[in-house]
Amino acid sequence: MEALTLTTPALLFSAISLIMLAYTNRFLAYAATIRSLHAKYVKNKDNVLMAQIQNIKKRLYLTRSMQILGISSLLLCVLTMFLIYIEQQTVAIWVFGLALILLILSLAFLIWEIQISVKALEHHISDIEGK
């Protein structure tokens, strides 16, 4: 294996930053939806609204996990760069490997969250098609 250089973990900075921006946008959209659902639920305690609230709650927690994993990956990339700087190559390789695993997990959670979102939208579509 070739030596890990400072540029290798630095390459992930822009990718992780863009991913975190997308995650933050999802989080903000969920916050707005939750506020809207809450206002509707206060007026009309409907079981359909409760199901939507439960669905968005699950998606919100998945997004939080995605963000935590992504931030942890970025943090470990910075730590990798520091370890390379102080010439701790072996430890840097292991830390960078862990950073990659956390990024993979973050993206896997994104796939899971997208599947839940699609199922929620399919319920709305089936309501429209049924009428």
Side-chain angles (χ1 to χ4, degrees):
M1 179 176 176
E2 288 185 33
L4 192 62
T5 65
L6 284 172
T7 57
T8 306
L11 288 173
L12 288 181
F13 278 30
S14 60
I16 294 173
S17 296
L18 287 173
I19 289 170
M20 292 308 298
L21 181 62
Y23 292 172
T24 300
N25 287 340
R26 289 179 103 74
F27 185 83
L28 293 174
Y30 294 152
T33 303
I34 289 168
R35 288 184 183 98
S36 171
L37 287 173
H38 178 266
K40 289 178 184 177
Y41 188 78
V42 168
K43 291 179 185 174
N44 180 19
K45 297 191 182 347
D46 184 13
N47 287 337
V48 174
L49 285 174
M50 182 52 82
Q52 288 176 335
I53 290 167
Q54 292 300 324
N55 180 281
I56 199 113
K57 181 179 177 182
K58 180 189 274 187
R59 291 162 55 194
L60 182 66
Y61 287 136
L62 279 173
T63 300
R64 178 184 66 185
S65 297
M66 292 164 15
Q67 287 175 317
I68 290 169
L69 290 167
I71 291 166
S72 298
S73 177
L74 184 60
L75 180 64
L76 290 180
C77 283
V78 173
L79 179 59
T80 299
M81 293 173 70
F82 177 72
L83 290 168
I84 293 168
Y85 177 74
I86 62 170
E87 299 180 0
Q88 295 294 316
Q89 190 70 20
T90 304
V91 179
I93 289 169
W94 284 100
V95 171
F96 185 64
L98 183 57
L100 292 176
I101 290 169
L102 291 177
L103 185 57
I104 289 168
L105 289 172
S106 177
L107 295 172
F109 275 45
L110 175 62
I111 292 169
W112 185 12
E113 191 276 331
I114 288 170
Q115 290 175 329
I116 293 171
S117 298
V118 168
K119 285 181 184 177
L121 292 173
E122 284 174 348
H123 289 297
H124 287 292
I125 290 171
S126 66
D127 278 352
I128 294 169
E129 290 175 340
K131 292 180 181 179

